[in-house]
Amino acid sequence: MLTIADKTFHSRLFTGTGKFGALAIMEEALLASGSELVTVALRRVDARAHKNGSEEDQLLKYLRHPRLHLLPNTSGVRNSREAVFAAELAREALGTNWLKLEIHPDPRWLMPDGVETLIAAEELVKRGFVVLPYIHADPVLCKRLEEVGVAAVMPLGSPIGSNKGLKTADFLEIIIAQSRVPVVVDAGIGAPSDAARAMEMGADAVLVNTAIAVSADPVKMAAAFRLAVESGRMAFEARLAPVATEAVASSPLTAFLD
Amino acid sequence: MLTIADKTFHSRLFTGTGKFGALAIMEEALLASGSELVTVALRRVDARAHKNGSEEDQLLKYLRHPRLHLLPNTSGVRNSREAVFAAELAREALGTNWLKLEIHPDPRWLMPDGVETLIAAEELVKRGFVVLPYIHADPVLCKRLEEVGVAAVMPLGSPIGSNKGLKTADFLEIIIAQSRVPVVVDAGIGAPSDAARAMEMGADAVLVNTAIAVSADPVKMAAAFRLAVESGRMAFEARLAPVATEAVASSPLTAFLD
Amino acid sequence: MLTIADKTFHSRLFTGTGKFGALAIMEEALLASGSELVTVALRRVDARAHKNGSEEDQLLKYLRHPRLHLLPNTSGVRNSREAVFAAELAREALGTNWLKLEIHPDPRWLMPDGVETLIAAEELVKRGFVVLPYIHADPVLCKRLEEVGVAAVMPLGSPIGSNKGLKTADFLEIIIAQSRVPVVVDAGIGAPSDAARAMEMGADAVLVNTAIAVSADPVKMAAAFRLAVESGRMAFEARLAPVATEAVASSPLTAFLD
Amino acid sequence: MLTIADKTFHSRLFTGTGKFGALAIMEEALLASGSELVTVALRRVDARAHKNGSEEDQLLKYLRHPRLHLLPNTSGVRNSREAVFAAELAREALGTNWLKLEIHPDPRWLMPDGVETLIAAEELVKRGFVVLPYIHADPVLCKRLEEVGVAAVMPLGSPIGSNKGLKTADFLEIIIAQSRVPVVVDAGIGAPSDAARAMEMGADAVLVNTAIAVSADPVKMAAAFRLAVESGRMAFEARLAPVATEAVASSPLTAFLD
């Protein structure tokens, strides 16, 4: 079981709500994933007040399940000031102080801004938020965020939406080795095998959205990720065999007819 | 469900019996893996006649489960002639015409000999064996083996016992794309994530031995591989999202405060 | 200096003549590469008899340089019989007993057929050819070819024309470690960095064609490969520093103000 | 030619002075490298005042060559305040306002602190320094450093001293694509092939220290890096051929005997 701040999770697979073809499919996929924490862009929720009955309004209805906790995110903000403002709106609108803090000033590459994230994180922790910052796989930044009191760190595996997998593995290893808060690998996980690998490395959880949402069969893919995350965690606990540089046969090799 | 020759398998995880610390652990791990096909070095079985009551004798007792089929292998033979001789012994000793054909003349690197394997495969098919050859990830060799009637091909992922994963992925893709017999990725799979990836690529099954046997907790690791193989197969069926070269956000990115 | 059979080479960069936009560009690029051995598809040369004055006829004129040795190849043959026939034609047409033996029965993936290659190599060695077989990076096949008397082995780095680099690196290492004849990495080298890496690993030479021919500036790219091959060889001789698993600063790290 | 601030460089290979077995070897290697910019830990230089005639004192003598410019670095400082102090000392001691700004608070992993680096960079630019910050391969941080006026950015390829090569390649590509100041890949380059690859990707220069200094033959290795950097730059200018997903033969493939 994974504990972050005041919540305990049976599932180490966190999910998102973007890019699904239909809300009913999204709901079914989220349930199939076994996920207990799902991130929602504040923008989609906030619109509710203005456009009653709209698609955005509907979103929350599909997310009302006893097991499912919401993790509002600040996607779309460009600096710490906007992030703090968005966080307060989210707390009010959704009645939760949990927050996925993401700040990416550049609309093309969507890379997170670590400096602004640190400033916002410090302020939001003071304001009573449970902050999970989405950041580059930068070991020093992760430590500094830990020092200002974030509840977990969410380093990226590769550029968001790229499905490229764990390109930052060498740095994730350092982050995992030195972190005192849970490490959730976010962004870039394109296949269950990527999720399994992150868990095998010792990540505490992974967040997957695009890879499930844009699959030809999101419900089946969600179930596949569920198994992969469980598998990777078990492998971490059972400890992987070391990678060998010379071949070692698993069957006896004394020549058969000798 | 996977069909090879006359048998149908619910599990796409094939296993082996080498390197386990104890036979009781081996048995428990094999059951936890859900595997229905387990490879056994003929040498260990053959010894039965000579050393009654010995460890080798015991091996088969631990493998007697209704769901578990035996796949004798020719590990230790150095050429096609020895392989055919060993195959006949295995058929007699174990009462099965299934055979994992492996010929590696070199005791250091344990690389399979494709030329001898092709010669032996052709002869063994004529003699009524169900032949599953362990070979280099060589697409042309796979086609030629298919042409002489093997039941499946078993290309290696990386050097045997190395746990290096799917180093041959670029060639496995070609083999999978063009094969008309099942493709079982064998050797080198060191972690559940490797097994999941092989399945995501469209492999029909994987064979795992060392990674389970030498883990600190073989039973848990076997269960982890079971989930990983199921996960990878589901992901293959649900189809993976393509790898993108530019970032695409999963959350809306119109600037938050615009 | 590299010696293969009766020839000694100052340059460890072998080149090819395919895919160039114009023969004059090809000539200039080959000279810029410093290469002393250039492979030519027999088909292009053989046409000479029939189409005097044709483009094919011209090819040889552009290759007449004192330093440049021709290495006819059997590209296009599908089995050992065709290969031997083609080799004899090449010897007659070009006046050289050197031969790059390549047999790929499948027009889509162009993977070499190791079994046919071994059969043809044995026959061609008997007939007095200096045989350099193009093959999969299969360590056992390389040893068997060595045993029948080939002058060098030419394992592929990745699928021909793919520019994917050294996907077979784990197997090339084994081949290099155990080979008693020169190892020439052929196919897949897409960038000078790939060529340098092959040389750093201890390959005796590399063969590059597509990456030079289809570059926007083949002459400059040829010069780049020349430097890369020299660089990689020097690095091999000077020995690379080992890859470390923990960071070690190159500058002193006692805290500055302590 | 590469221009950074007020200086123009013929060589795109920057070097360092750490870890060499002897100063005479270091000098010879630096000359063989063709490098025109060499980084020196301030700590080693600063000691001069106190320990006249010491090894540290000698260091500068070996670096006095008309072509060789010094780039003092702040290795050992733990925050922006210490960095600014160290920079002023360096300017005074070495008579140059060029500075490689590196701040790594953690002695084990030696990862740079991006937040402190940004603060220090802004201050040092104001004080008239030509600042080249060593940082994580974080695209947003690179842009922010560019905005405060650094002369170049120096993202890492992999953990310092690890010789692991360009593990951050996916992020270096983004940094190179969007940077308006020169990009110098620093740290982790373990082989000439890594340096060539960085240049092929479009990096403006690379900094290499450990890989040269700890080689069995630093002088030859320095020369190898020189060629690799030239090669990679030429390949970048000539443009690499694209990586193909299907094989394309470089020789004609119409069946030979048709």
Side-chain angles (χ1 to χ4, degrees):
Chain A
M1 297 233 298
L2 168 65
T3 298
I4 299 179
D6 57 314
K7 285 195 172 64
T8 299
F9 301 94
H10 296 83
S11 166
R12 291 170 181 274
L13 173 58
F14 298 167
T15 50
T17 56
K19 293 190 187 175
F20 282 93
L23 290 174
I25 298 285
M26 179 198 77
E27 181 185 33
E28 202 184 339
L30 294 180
L31 295 180
S33 76
S35 182
E36 294 161 337
L37 191 67
V38 56
T39 189
V40 185
L42 175 57
R43 192 167 179 81
R44 294 177 73 186
V45 173
D46 183 51
R48 196 178 44 148
H50 312 294
K51 297 188 259 171
N52 215 28
S54 67
E55 189 264 356
E56 284 81 5
D57 182 39
Q58 301 298 318
L59 177 59
L60 290 184
K61 288 187 191 159
Y62 286 89
L63 299 174
R64 267 180 219 128
H65 289 275
R67 202 186 54 197
L68 218 52
H69 297 287
L70 295 187
L71 178 64
N73 70 59
T74 61
S75 182
V77 309
R78 290 164 300 194
N79 55 46
S80 56
R81 194 182 47 78
E82 289 183 12
V84 172
F85 182 75
E88 292 288 6
L89 283 183
R91 179 155 59 177
E92 168 126 358
L94 293 171
T96 175
N97 63 342
W98 280 54
L99 187 79
K100 182 182 170 193
L101 174 61
E102 48 180 306
I103 303 178
H104 17 65
D106 167 45
R108 181 165 181 211
W109 304 106
L110 304 177
M111 288 285 147
D113 184 326
V115 177
E116 293 296 314
T117 301
L118 181 60
I119 295 169
E122 187 159 19
E123 175 64 23
L124 289 167
V125 168
K126 281 183 195 150
R127 292 183 183 212
F129 284 89
V130 172
V131 180
L132 294 86
Y134 163 64
I135 42 169
H136 205 76
D138 175 335
V140 174
L141 180 60
C142 285
K143 286 310 279 182
R144 295 196 67 158
L145 285 161
E146 182 185 313
E147 284 161 15
V148 303
V150 300
V153 288
M154 305 184 81
L156 55 80
S158 49
I160 195 169
S162 72
N163 295 321
K164 283 186 177 178
L166 303 189
K167 295 290 188 180
T168 58
D170 289 80
F171 303 96
L172 293 175
E173 279 178 6
I174 297 174
I175 291 168
I176 290 168
Q178 69 181 16
S179 186
R180 289 199 209 117
V181 294
V183 177
V184 183
V185 177
D186 188 6
I189 291 178
S193 56
D194 296 331
R197 190 175 162 220
M199 298 307 297
E200 288 163 1
M201 288 168 60
D204 295 281
V206 295
L207 193 152
V208 180
N209 183 346
T210 300
I212 293 173
V214 311
S215 160
D217 185 342
V219 178
K220 184 177 270 191
M221 190 59 86
F225 270 101
R226 176 186 197 150
L227 296 182
V229 169
E230 289 175 14
S231 170
R233 181 65 187 180
M234 290 168 80
F236 170 71
E237 289 169 356
R239 270 188 269 153
L240 294 179
V243 172
T245 48
E246 294 226 354
V248 186
S250 45
S251 295
L253 269 163
T254 42
F256 181 72
L257 295 176
D258 285 354
Chain B
M1 297 233 297
L2 168 64
T3 298
I4 299 179
D6 57 313
K7 285 195 172 64
T8 300
F9 301 93
H10 296 82
S11 166
R12 290 169 182 275
L13 173 58
F14 299 166
T15 50
T17 56
K19 293 190 186 174
F20 283 93
L23 289 174
I25 298 284
M26 179 198 77
E27 180 185 33
E28 202 184 340
L30 294 180
L31 294 179
S33 76
S35 182
E36 294 160 337
L37 192 66
V38 56
T39 189
V40 185
L42 175 56
R43 193 167 178 81
R44 294 177 73 184
V45 174
D46 183 52
R48 195 179 41 150
H50 312 293
K51 299 187 256 172
N52 214 29
S54 68
E55 190 264 357
E56 285 82 5
D57 182 41
Q58 301 297 319
L59 176 60
L60 289 184
K61 287 187 194 159
Y62 286 90
L63 299 174
R64 266 180 220 127
H65 290 274
R67 202 186 55 198
L68 218 52
H69 297 287
L70 295 188
L71 177 64
N73 70 59
T74 61
S75 183
V77 308
R78 291 163 300 193
N79 54 46
S80 55
R81 193 181 49 78
E82 290 183 11
V84 172
F85 182 76
E88 292 288 4
L89 283 183
R91 179 155 60 178
E92 169 129 357
L94 293 170
T96 175
N97 64 343
W98 279 54
L99 187 80
K100 181 182 171 195
L101 174 61
E102 48 181 308
I103 304 178
H104 17 65
D106 167 46
R108 180 165 183 211
W109 305 105
L110 303 178
M111 288 286 148
D113 184 327
V115 176
E116 292 296 313
T117 301
L118 180 60
I119 294 169
E122 186 159 19
E123 175 65 22
L124 290 166
V125 168
K126 281 183 195 150
R127 293 184 183 212
F129 284 89
V130 172
V131 180
L132 294 87
Y134 163 63
I135 42 169
H136 205 76
D138 175 334
V140 173
L141 180 59
C142 285
K143 287 310 279 183
R144 295 196 67 158
L145 285 161
E146 181 185 313
E147 284 160 16
V148 303
V150 301
V153 288
M154 304 185 80
L156 56 79
S158 49
I160 196 169
S162 73
N163 295 321
K164 284 187 177 178
L166 304 188
K167 294 290 188 181
T168 59
D170 288 80
F171 303 96
L172 292 175
E173 279 178 5
I174 297 174
I175 290 168
I176 290 168
Q178 69 181 15
S179 186
R180 289 199 208 115
V181 295
V183 177
V184 183
V185 178
D186 188 6
I189 292 179
S193 56
D194 297 330
R197 189 175 163 221
M199 298 307 296
E200 288 163 0
M201 288 169 62
D204 294 281
V206 296
L207 193 152
V208 180
N209 184 346
T210 300
I212 292 173
V214 310
S215 159
D217 184 343
V219 178
K220 184 177 270 191
M221 190 58 86
F225 270 100
R226 175 186 197 149
L227 296 182
V229 169
E230 290 174 15
S231 170
R233 181 65 187 181
M234 290 169 79
F236 171 71
E237 289 169 356
R239 270 189 269 153
L240 294 179
V243 172
T245 48
E246 294 225 354
V248 186
S250 45
S251 297
L253 270 162
T254 42
F256 182 72
L257 295 176
D258 284 354
Chain C
M1 296 233 297
L2 168 65
T3 298
I4 300 179
D6 57 313
K7 287 194 171 63
T8 300
F9 301 94
H10 296 83
S11 166
R12 291 169 182 273
L13 173 58
F14 299 167
T15 50
T17 56
K19 294 190 184 173
F20 283 92
L23 290 174
I25 298 284
M26 179 198 76
E27 181 184 32
E28 203 184 337
L30 294 180
L31 295 179
S33 75
S35 182
E36 294 161 337
L37 191 66
V38 57
T39 189
V40 185
L42 175 57
R43 193 166 178 82
R44 295 177 72 184
V45 174
D46 183 51
R48 195 180 43 150
H50 313 294
K51 300 188 254 172
N52 215 29
S54 69
E55 189 264 357
E56 284 80 6
D57 181 40
Q58 301 296 318
L59 177 60
L60 289 184
K61 288 187 192 159
Y62 285 90
L63 298 174
R64 267 181 219 126
H65 289 275
R67 203 186 52 198
L68 219 52
H69 297 287
L70 295 188
L71 178 64
N73 69 61
T74 61
S75 181
V77 309
R78 291 163 302 193
N79 54 47
S80 55
R81 194 181 47 79
E82 289 183 12
V84 171
F85 183 76
E88 292 289 5
L89 283 183
R91 179 156 59 177
E92 169 128 358
L94 293 170
T96 176
N97 63 343
W98 281 53
L99 186 79
K100 181 182 171 194
L101 174 60
E102 49 180 307
I103 303 178
H104 18 64
D106 166 47
R108 181 166 181 209
W109 304 104
L110 304 176
M111 288 286 146
D113 185 326
V115 177
E116 292 296 312
T117 301
L118 180 60
I119 295 169
E122 186 159 20
E123 175 65 22
L124 290 167
V125 168
K126 281 183 196 151
R127 293 184 182 212
F129 284 90
V130 173
V131 180
L132 295 85
Y134 162 65
I135 42 170
H136 205 76
D138 175 335
V140 173
L141 180 59
C142 286
K143 286 310 278 182
R144 295 197 67 159
L145 285 161
E146 182 184 313
E147 284 161 16
V148 302
V150 300
V153 288
M154 305 185 78
L156 54 79
S158 49
I160 195 169
S162 73
N163 294 321
K164 283 186 178 179
L166 303 189
K167 294 289 188 180
T168 58
D170 289 79
F171 303 95
L172 293 174
E173 280 177 6
I174 296 174
I175 291 168
I176 290 167
Q178 68 181 17
S179 186
R180 288 198 209 116
V181 295
V183 176
V184 183
V185 178
D186 187 6
I189 292 178
S193 56
D194 297 330
R197 189 176 164 221
M199 299 307 296
E200 288 163 1
M201 287 168 60
D204 296 281
V206 296
L207 193 152
V208 181
N209 184 346
T210 300
I212 293 172
V214 310
S215 160
D217 185 342
V219 178
K220 184 177 271 191
M221 189 59 85
F225 270 100
R226 177 186 196 149
L227 295 182
V229 170
E230 289 175 15
S231 170
R233 181 66 186 178
M234 290 168 79
F236 170 72
E237 289 168 357
R239 271 189 269 153
L240 294 178
V243 171
T245 48
E246 295 225 353
V248 186
S250 45
S251 296
L253 270 163
T254 42
F256 181 71
L257 295 175
D258 286 352
Chain D
M1 296 233 298
L2 168 65
T3 298
I4 299 179
D6 57 314
K7 285 196 174 62
T8 299
F9 302 94
H10 296 83
S11 166
R12 291 170 181 273
L13 173 58
F14 298 167
T15 50
T17 56
K19 295 190 186 174
F20 282 93
L23 290 174
I25 297 286
M26 179 198 77
E27 180 185 34
E28 203 183 338
L30 295 179
L31 294 179
S33 75
S35 182
E36 295 161 338
L37 191 68
V38 57
T39 189
V40 185
L42 174 56
R43 192 165 179 81
R44 295 177 72 184
V45 174
D46 183 51
R48 194 179 43 149
H50 313 293
K51 299 188 257 172
N52 215 29
S54 68
E55 189 265 357
E56 284 81 6
D57 181 40
Q58 301 297 318
L59 177 60
L60 289 184
K61 288 187 192 159
Y62 285 89
L63 299 174
R64 267 181 219 127
H65 290 275
R67 202 187 53 197
L68 218 50
H69 297 287
L70 295 188
L71 176 65
N73 69 59
T74 61
S75 182
V77 308
R78 289 164 302 193
N79 54 45
S80 55
R81 193 182 48 79
E82 288 183 12
V84 171
F85 182 77
E88 292 288 5
L89 284 183
R91 179 155 60 177
E92 170 127 357
L94 292 170
T96 175
N97 63 344
W98 280 54
L99 187 81
K100 181 181 170 193
L101 173 61
E102 49 180 306
I103 304 179
H104 18 64
D106 167 47
R108 179 163 183 213
W109 304 104
L110 304 176
M111 288 285 146
D113 184 326
V115 177
E116 293 296 313
T117 301
L118 180 60
I119 295 168
E122 187 158 19
E123 175 64 24
L124 290 166
V125 168
K126 280 184 195 150
R127 293 184 183 213
F129 284 90
V130 172
V131 180
L132 294 86
Y134 162 63
I135 42 170
H136 205 75
D138 176 335
V140 173
L141 180 60
C142 285
K143 286 311 278 183
R144 294 195 68 158
L145 285 160
E146 182 185 311
E147 284 161 15
V148 303
V150 300
V153 288
M154 305 184 80
L156 55 80
S158 49
I160 195 169
S162 73
N163 295 320
K164 284 187 178 179
L166 303 188
K167 295 289 188 183
T168 58
D170 289 79
F171 303 95
L172 293 175
E173 279 179 6
I174 297 174
I175 291 168
I176 290 167
Q178 68 181 17
S179 185
R180 289 199 208 112
V181 295
V183 177
V184 183
V185 177
D186 188 5
I189 291 178
S193 56
D194 296 330
R197 189 175 162 219
M199 298 307 295
E200 288 163 359
M201 288 168 60
D204 295 281
V206 295
L207 192 152
V208 180
N209 184 346
T210 300
I212 293 172
V214 310
S215 161
D217 185 342
V219 178
K220 183 177 272 192
M221 190 59 85
F225 271 99
R226 176 187 197 149
L227 295 183
V229 170
E230 290 174 15
S231 170
R233 181 65 186 179
M234 290 169 80
F236 171 71
E237 290 169 356
R239 270 188 269 154
L240 294 179
V243 171
T245 48
E246 293 225 356
V248 187
S250 46
S251 296
L253 269 163
T254 41
F256 180 72
L257 294 177
D258 286 353

